[in-house]
Amino acid sequence: MINNVPKEFEYQQYLREILIKNEPQIPLYIATEKDFEKSDGINYPYRSHFYVFGLLHESECKLQVGINTYNLKKKSLTIVGPGIVRNWISNNWNMNNTTVFFKESLFKKPFYDNFLLDYDFFKVGANHVIELTDEAYSNLNELLETLEKFKADQNIATGILFSILEFINSIYLENSSEHLFSRNEQITREFNDLLTKNYRTQKSVRFYADNMNLSSKHLSDVLKETVGKTVKQSIEALILIESQSLLKQTAMEIKEIMYWLGFEDQSYFTKFFKKKIGLTPSDYRSNS
């Protein structure tokens, strides 16, 4: 029986502990490298309970979301919705960027409840990084400067932010429609969705292959080509990033985390974790 439900970084908690060290007054915060370079960053996979998107103005970094690893370049846009675990694999936290954090409570009437989740780019399994054209980058940057100018007035800021989300959505949809997904890319997207929904209870390669009417070898060959991992490696990667988040972000006992992730043998879970990370779960948790 699991007593502790996994907790996520709440908006106020994240800003207080990671960025501004005091309580934010409104559910919208616009950060730049000046904010991030004051903090130690986050050196482990984590999930949050708010919405965030960021525009990278220079430099490069690497981000893992689920089983996908993104190499961010200059003029890249990153979008992550609530409840999605991400891991900044390579990030010195002082790159020139503009990052917007906000809560859904920012939007009052006439916006309907949960309308933000109608945007595909905030959903699990989305393409969380978009490389922008020069024109799209310039336009988005101008919109972000306008948002910065009016951020203190919540009513005006809400309208501007909605316009920005609509602009991002137009880019996202255009990229999706222009990009004719190959059969292998379609298979990968289907697998990613299936894995996200079932990884806690289904860890066999055969389960995913059978549900997709493919052979295990073919599915692994496809994933190896598209995400650089076999089916087994993809399953393990998602379990690993989730377990790291739970160990660092919750007070759950290791046995509870083990059960949460669908393991029945704690020694097996410990061996699996140590083989991948080089530390036992307890050592990883206590290691700052």
Side-chain angles (χ1 to χ4, degrees):
M1 180 70 181
I2 296 174
N3 297 318
N4 296 316
V5 175
K7 301 174 183 177
E8 301 171 351
F9 258 131
E10 295 292 340
Y11 173 81
Q12 283 84 358
Q13 178 190 6
Y14 179 89
L15 295 188
R16 184 173 61 249
E17 296 182 7
I18 306 301
L19 290 181
I20 59 179
K21 312 303 180 186
N22 54 36
E23 197 71 19
Q25 299 301 309
I26 66 170
L28 168 69
Y29 191 80
I30 305 171
T32 69
E33 65 280 357
K34 294 179 181 179
D35 296 281
F36 288 106
E37 65 188 10
K38 296 175 184 177
S39 75
D40 296 327
I42 305 176
N43 60 0
Y44 56 84
Y46 69 97
R47 72 174 78 245
S48 59
H49 193 59
F50 50 81
Y51 296 83
V52 58
F53 62 89
L55 186 59
L56 187 63
H57 301 302
E58 62 179 25
S59 192
E60 297 181 358
C61 59
K62 185 176 292 187
L63 172 69
Q64 178 188 355
V65 184
I67 65 172
N68 295 307
T69 299
Y70 301 94
N71 293 305
L72 279 70
K73 302 176 182 178
K74 180 179 179 180
K75 300 181 182 179
S76 291
L77 174 66
T78 304
I79 315 165
V80 182
I84 299 174
V85 177
R86 82 298 306 258
N87 181 27
W88 291 98
I89 300 172
S90 173
N91 188 343
N92 60 15
W93 296 96
N94 62 0
M95 298 173 297
N96 189 0
N97 73 94
T98 303
T99 302
V100 178
F101 304 89
F102 65 96
K103 296 168 62 178
E104 60 184 19
S105 61
L106 178 70
F107 292 92
K108 310 296 184 184
K109 290 183 178 179
F111 298 98
Y112 57 88
D113 292 343
N114 299 322
F115 86 95
L116 290 167
L117 292 179
D118 285 345
Y119 291 119
D120 287 341
F121 50 74
F122 280 134
K123 297 177 181 177
V124 174
N127 181 15
H128 295 287
V129 175
I130 304 173
E131 292 187 16
L132 302 179
T133 63
D134 290 345
E135 181 181 5
Y137 167 81
S138 178
N139 289 336
L140 181 55
N141 202 32
E142 288 181 10
L143 287 169
L144 290 174
E145 290 174 353
T146 304
L147 180 63
E148 171 68 31
K149 181 178 180 180
F150 291 98
K151 66 181 180 182
D153 188 319
Q154 187 166 334
N155 292 326
I156 297 177
T158 300
I160 298 171
L161 180 57
F162 176 70
S163 297
I164 292 174
L165 294 177
E166 285 293 293
F167 179 73
I168 292 174
N169 193 45
S170 67
I171 296 172
Y172 190 86
L173 293 177
E174 182 179 356
N175 285 355
S176 298
S177 62
E178 287 185 352
H179 182 77
L180 298 178
F181 295 106
S182 67
R183 175 57 181 156
N184 284 357
E185 289 172 325
Q186 292 173 353
I187 289 173
T188 302
R189 289 162 68 90
E190 183 181 345
F191 169 77
N192 202 7
D193 182 61
L194 192 64
L195 177 63
T196 301
K197 293 175 180 176
N198 295 279
Y199 75 95
R200 288 172 54 199
T201 57
Q202 300 292 341
K203 296 176 174 58
S204 73
V205 174
R206 188 64 176 270
F207 169 84
Y208 296 96
D210 287 351
N211 273 269
M212 297 177 65
N213 295 316
L214 298 171
S215 71
S216 298
K217 182 180 184 306
H218 181 57
L219 180 56
S220 279
D221 287 345
V222 169
L223 294 177
K224 192 69 175 178
E225 176 187 317
T226 55
V227 298
K229 301 179 182 72
T230 64
V231 179
K232 184 175 184 292
Q233 290 169 337
S234 297
I235 297 169
E236 291 178 345
L238 189 56
I239 292 171
L240 193 61
I241 195 173
E242 290 285 346
S243 61
Q244 289 174 282
S245 172
L246 292 172
L247 285 164
K248 289 292 190 181
Q249 290 194 266
T250 78
M252 293 172 69
E253 295 180 1
I254 293 174
K255 183 177 290 187
E256 291 178 312
I257 293 175
M258 176 195 77
Y259 284 128
W260 178 267
L261 294 171
F263 290 89
E264 296 182 357
D265 186 335
Q266 185 170 344
S267 63
Y268 178 80
F269 173 67
T270 298
K271 290 177 182 177
F272 162 77
F273 191 90
K274 185 174 182 180
K275 180 180 179 181
K276 299 297 180 182
I277 300 298
L279 297 170
T280 65
S282 59
D283 287 340
Y284 177 81
R285 166 171 273 172
S286 61
N287 190 339
S288 59

